[in-house]
Amino acid sequence: MKLDAVWFEQSNCYIDGRWCAPLGGGYLTVENPSDGCEIGQIARGQAADIDQAVAAATAARAGEWGRLPAFERGRLLARMGQLVLKYQDALTQIEAADVGKPLTQARNDARALARYLEFYGGAADKITGETIPYLDGYTVYTLREPHGVTGHIVPWNYPMQIIGRSVGAALAMGNACVLKPAEEACLTALAIGAIAEEAGLPKGALNVVPGLGSEAGAALSAHPGVQHLSFTGSVPVGSLIQAAAAKNVVPVTLELGGKSPQLVFEDADLDAALPFLVNAGIQNAGQTCSASSRILVQRSRYDEVLARMAERYEALRVGPAARDLDVGPLISGTQKSVVEGFLAKGRDLEVAARGQIVADAPEAGHYVCPTLLAGVAPDHILAQDEIFGPVQVVIAFDDEAEAIAIANGTDFGLVASIWSRDGARQMRLAKDLRAGQVFINNYGAGGGVELPFGGVGKSGHGREKGFEALYGFSSLKTVAAFHG
Ligand code: NAD
């Protein structure tokens, strides 16, 4: 496998350390969202391929991979991280072509993947149990053990980052993984298989089976040989995954969508806030689970914030990933129709500003103009539903109580941010906001791999990233020895 040049030709499943054609013989077309052209084919893995991958992972747990000391696992992950950095140019090009990410954003994802592998590589031998004082004559201690075989179903919007955080943490704990990437964006997942191979990961420790959600995804989530499921994606599919997990009585981590707000108070430092207010909505063309799609502004500064955001929107340029502009295309024609459908439902709203699609953007690319909508009622469908496109709504509030009521007034609870110089207000609101992450005078904190991440409500449950993920990818055994 060569990753030192732009790399699209490898399309098969990676199972048990080998590249194998799908047993059903079918392939799916890979499209470049920037111009609608076909750039390759990927295996259409199905239940039989998933069976093989789960068998390979089970054997890996019982074999070389399962016997490796934690520090050796860590060393292998660190080596994978180094290879990701070595091949970052190729990974950037692949992701830009496959997902439509502007090059800078694609490179950030590759570098984040390297950070996850470094972080979890370093953490692998630092997770310990504890001793528990107990009755006279007993010694009691706990062991953190891998679940066994873990299934990872990931979406198309940030393949490298999501694989880094979930597969990275699962491998660090000694699980053997079966990864089912999204059918729209499999190429970097397969590249990660190639990197694992080059790093010397024992066969079967990481298996990658591309394919459709309804086939390979459903087979993986229902497989009785899988002991933990990690899913990132939409709420309806997350709910199916949880039902499948319930049937097999296995734990599941769900990272679902969001409708994340930024709360701008009258004492906010607007110069500091403005880049975050806009970028958090349009990064990756708004196809980000933690996108900030709602901007809540205290009424006394509403006009000013709206005018300054509008100025930024008008400067936004949208075009092919290779041009590395502010915004690329959406992933697919389907996603474009979804976003346009939402915009049609918002025809009654005031369009405060739009970005611009460059004149030479290919007709067949999936471009949508970033759109800033003003005067939006908190219960409007565009202020409630996840759009997953470059659309933000601006909502006015009068006081803290109203700000919290609006911020918490959706089904979601992924992240939120507070822009204010008032320390007491920051502390109060950080407690009152219903979210898995709260930012004070920033948004996203640079995405830190160290920071536990996940949601409440329809945004899901369980935490990935940071040390917390290592606890999620392991189970605790209590050993109580009576020795008199
Ligand atoms: P999706 O739920 O349609 O697909 C996600 C993954 O699930 C894909 O790999 C797909 O093949 C698979 N899948 C689809 N149907 C399946 C089934 N029946 N059984 C098993 N697997 C199945 O989501 P999407 O359209 O790829 O991604 C967009 C959604 O994901 C958005 O709602 C977004 O907010 C969410 N998301 C959340 C996070 C997070 O960390 N919270 C990150 C990225 C995306």
Side-chain angles (χ1 to χ4, degrees):
M1 176 74 40
K2 280 182 68 178
L3 259 177
D4 50 356
V6 177
W7 172 88
F8 300 117
E9 68 269 25
Q10 181 61 60
S11 59
N12 283 328
C13 308
Y14 179 62
I15 297 175
D16 206 20
R18 288 178 295 113
W19 294 92
C20 13
L23 293 169
Y27 286 83
L28 301 165
T29 298
V30 182
E31 183 206 35
N32 180 339
S34 291
D35 57 16
C37 292
E38 178 178 336
I39 53 171
Q41 303 254 310
I42 45 137
R44 180 175 173 173
Q46 302 196 33
D49 305 287
I50 292 289
D51 281 345
Q52 295 221 329
V54 173
T58 307
R61 279 284 317 136
E64 183 189 351
W65 175 244
R67 287 194 297 271
L68 274 189
F71 79 91
E72 291 282 13
R73 292 199 303 269
R75 195 174 270 166
L76 285 165
L77 286 173
R79 198 173 296 150
M80 283 177 67
Q82 285 158 9
L83 289 172
V84 168
L85 290 177
K86 176 176 164 192
Y87 294 129
Q88 62 178 295
D89 290 347
L91 291 167
T92 300
Q93 296 289 340
I94 294 168
E95 202 71 313
D98 199 13
V99 180
K101 281 190 194 235
L103 292 167
T104 304
Q105 295 180 37
R107 185 173 299 277
N108 284 344
D109 285 6
R111 296 185 69 82
L113 167 61
R115 277 292 296 129
Y116 280 112
L117 293 166
E118 288 165 359
F119 178 81
Y120 286 118
D125 57 357
K126 293 166 191 71
I127 295 290
T128 57
E130 56 183 4
T131 54
I132 301 174
Y134 193 53
L135 302 175
D136 190 31
Y138 279 88
T139 298
V140 181
Y141 58 96
T142 58
L143 297 170
R144 277 231 163 250
E145 299 181 331
H147 293 296
V149 176
T150 51
H152 304 258
I153 299 177
V154 303
W156 41 261
N157 58 347
Y158 287 84
M160 287 192 274
Q161 294 214 34
I162 295 169
I163 293 168
R165 76 184 190 208
S166 94
V167 168
L171 288 174
M173 285 312 299
N175 299 283
C177 304
V178 179
L179 166 64
K180 208 300 282 174
E183 46 271 51
E184 298 88 347
C186 286
L187 296 180
T188 48
L190 291 166
I192 292 167
I195 283 171
E197 186 180 30
E198 184 171 336
L201 207 71
K203 63 178 188 155
L206 171 61
N207 307 276
V208 187
V209 183
L212 298 175
S214 55
E215 297 177 353
L220 180 57
S221 58
H223 204 291
V226 172
Q227 283 90 37
H228 179 282
L229 286 166
S230 161
F231 172 78
T232 304
S234 62
V235 176
V237 177
S239 162
L240 289 176
I241 303 284
Q242 181 152 343
K247 207 158 180 200
N248 288 330
V249 197
V250 295
V252 58
T253 303
L254 297 181
E255 300 279 10
L256 310 177
K259 194 72 187 172
S260 300
Q262 300 196 60
L263 281 58
V264 185
F265 285 87
E266 58 192 356
D267 63 341
D269 175 351
L270 270 198
D271 291 337
L274 268 154
F276 290 91
L277 296 183
V278 174
N279 291 349
I282 54 99
Q283 182 181 315
N284 198 29
Q287 304 165 115
T288 305
C289 52
S290 55
S292 178
S293 47
R294 295 186 297 154
I295 307 298
L296 280 44
V297 189
Q298 195 151 19
R299 207 171 295 278
S300 56
R301 305 220 44 198
Y302 178 86
D303 290 342
E304 183 187 358
V305 170
L306 190 61
R308 292 185 67 182
M309 285 186 73
E311 204 178 304
R312 284 177 175 262
Y313 258 74
E314 277 150 16
L316 291 174
R317 293 293 168 269
V318 184
R323 293 270 306 270
D324 202 19
L325 302 170
D326 307 298
V327 179
L330 300 189
I331 185 74
S332 62
T334 309
Q335 189 62 22
K336 182 177 171 186
S337 309
V338 169
V339 175
E340 287 175 345
F342 273 111
L343 287 172
K345 286 181 194 154
R347 261 194 229 105
D348 55 317
L349 300 172
E350 173 198 340
V351 175
R354 283 206 171 98
Q356 243 182 61
I357 300 174
V358 293
D360 56 348
E363 280 274 311
H366 310 304
Y367 301 100
V368 169
C369 246
T371 306
L372 183 67
L373 297 167
V376 184
D379 59 353
H380 193 286
I381 186 167
L382 270 74
Q384 286 289 319
D385 285 15
E386 185 181 47
I387 298 172
F388 231 51
V391 181
Q392 287 179 295
V393 298
V394 188
I395 302 171
F397 67 83
D398 284 312
D399 54 24
E400 248 179 68
E402 194 186 6
I404 281 288
I406 298 172
N408 291 348
T410 74
D411 290 340
F412 298 103
L414 194 54
V415 314
S417 99
I418 304 156
W419 292 94
S420 167
R421 291 184 168 97
D422 179 338
R425 170 185 283 153
Q426 294 165 2
M427 296 302 116
R428 264 194 309 276
L429 293 188
K431 284 191 177 158
D432 289 346
L433 282 165
R434 193 168 165 265
Q437 282 189 333
V438 173
F439 304 109
I440 297 171
N441 292 329
N442 76 94
Y443 193 89
V449 306
E450 303 85 347
L451 314 179
F453 176 76
V456 297
K458 292 270 164 49
S459 292
H461 51 76
R463 295 291 176 265
E464 290 192 340
K465 303 176 66 169
F467 265 67
E468 200 60 33
L470 297 167
Y471 303 133
F473 282 112
S474 58
S475 65
L476 196 69
K477 179 184 281 173
T478 305
V479 181
F482 179 69
H483 38 68

